[in-house]
Amino acid sequence: MPDLSSFPITQRWPASHPDRLQLYAAPTPNGVKVSIMLEETGLAYEPHLIDISNNESKDPAFVSLNPNGRIPAIIDPAGPDGRPIALWESGAILLYLADKTGQFISTEPGQRYETLAWVFFQMSAIGPMFGQLGFFLRFAGKDYEDKRPRQRFVDESRRLLGVLDHRLEGREWIVDDYSIADIATFGWVNALVEFYAAGDILGLSSYSNVQAWLERGLARPAVQRGLRIPARPA
């Protein structure tokens, strides 16, 4: 049985199944990237809800795993050398899991790097911009009298949707096959509709390729399950 006691986070959030991969996350656009990936790959894992509304990601035990204090993070008791490995940053975790399982990223170098480019596009552009838009639509930013900052993120989000829509012209998935590029992006585009209620302000209906892609993704059982993991208390 793997010994995870050297990781302080396991004292705060004990592992009932230390032989399984440990996921520390919340069902946010960044968090569900990893739960969807785990559901898609079929790897055995144990999810732990990190309640970011109560600043649990700033708990010293969590910060000991991720010094940036952001979800998600994982501990894999069966790391590359047979020893436990801890990882944070959702893009890095997706790549690690893809390489570990040999799934959802091509071994052909050209397609592999193309997939990574779209993962990095999500990490550097879609996530930060959509997240800032969400701040102005759903959180404290909605009360700002000056609407110019909100408009900046509306405009940039529309531009990014246009990039994605153009890429999806004539394609089912972002790269040739379903991949971590899609898994990285689903949660953020879905949040525009389901959480931020930004469909109208962004004119989301005009991005028909994005809408069709999202519908295909949401039809996947693993995506449906992953969007709800870790489960919030009832």
Side-chain angles (χ1 to χ4, degrees), residues 2-234:
D3 182 7
L4 303 183
S5 62
S6 62
F7 297 94
I9 195 169
T10 62
Q11 307 305 312
R12 176 68 173 78
W13 289 277
S16 299
H17 304 280
D19 58 322
R20 301 178 187 176
L21 186 146
Q22 304 294 305
L23 169 64
Y24 306 93
T28 68
N30 279 331
V32 299
K33 295 177 196 175
V34 181
S35 53
I36 290 171
M37 181 65 171
L38 288 166
E39 289 293 318
E40 291 278 18
T41 62
L43 282 172
Y45 72 103
E46 180 178 354
H48 303 272
L49 175 66
I50 307 301
D51 188 352
I52 57 177
S53 66
N54 286 322
N55 287 323
E56 287 187 350
S57 63
K58 303 301 187 294
D59 186 293
F62 185 85
V63 173
S64 71
L65 186 61
N66 180 359
N68 193 37
R70 297 287 190 274
I71 60 98
I74 66 168
I75 299 172
D76 183 0
D81 56 1
R83 294 182 296 179
I85 183 174
L87 281 175
W88 48 286
E89 280 294 331
S90 56
I93 296 171
L94 286 180
L95 179 57
Y96 170 75
L97 294 174
D99 286 344
K100 177 183 177 72
T101 63
Q103 299 182 65
F104 307 117
I105 193 167
S106 176
T107 57
E108 192 279 314
Q111 189 171 332
R112 177 182 174 87
Y113 287 118
E114 186 176 25
T115 301
L116 291 177
W118 285 99
V119 171
F120 295 159
F121 171 71
Q122 182 281 304
M123 297 290 294
S124 66
I126 282 181
M129 292 300 107
F130 288 9
Q132 290 296 329
L133 176 62
F135 170 78
F136 285 99
L137 296 181
R138 181 70 186 251
F139 299 106
K142 68 180 183 297
D143 298 322
Y144 288 12
E145 291 185 10
D146 187 346
K147 300 305 179 185
R148 288 173 297 178
R150 187 188 77 165
Q151 191 60 44
R152 177 186 187 279
F153 293 110
V154 167
D155 293 343
E156 182 62 4
S157 295
R158 287 173 177 161
R159 187 188 74 81
L160 295 172
L161 285 170
V163 172
L164 187 58
D165 198 71
H166 179 73
R167 173 64 179 182
L168 288 165
E169 182 69 38
R171 295 174 178 268
E172 287 195 357
W173 308 112
I174 293 175
V175 190
D176 292 341
D177 302 309
Y178 181 71
S179 72
I180 58 173
D182 302 289
I183 293 170
T185 312
F186 280 143
W188 280 106
V189 178
N190 188 56
L192 290 178
V193 179
E194 296 297 326
F195 190 66
Y196 300 147
D200 289 342
I201 195 172
L202 293 177
L204 196 59
S205 61
S206 65
Y207 302 98
S208 58
N209 298 323
V210 171
Q211 285 198 310
W213 163 84
L214 182 61
E215 289 174 5
R216 284 191 291 273
L218 294 176
R220 297 178 69 92
V223 174
Q224 295 175 23
R225 295 191 301 269
L227 287 171
R228 301 188 297 270
I229 299 173
R232 298 186 187 277

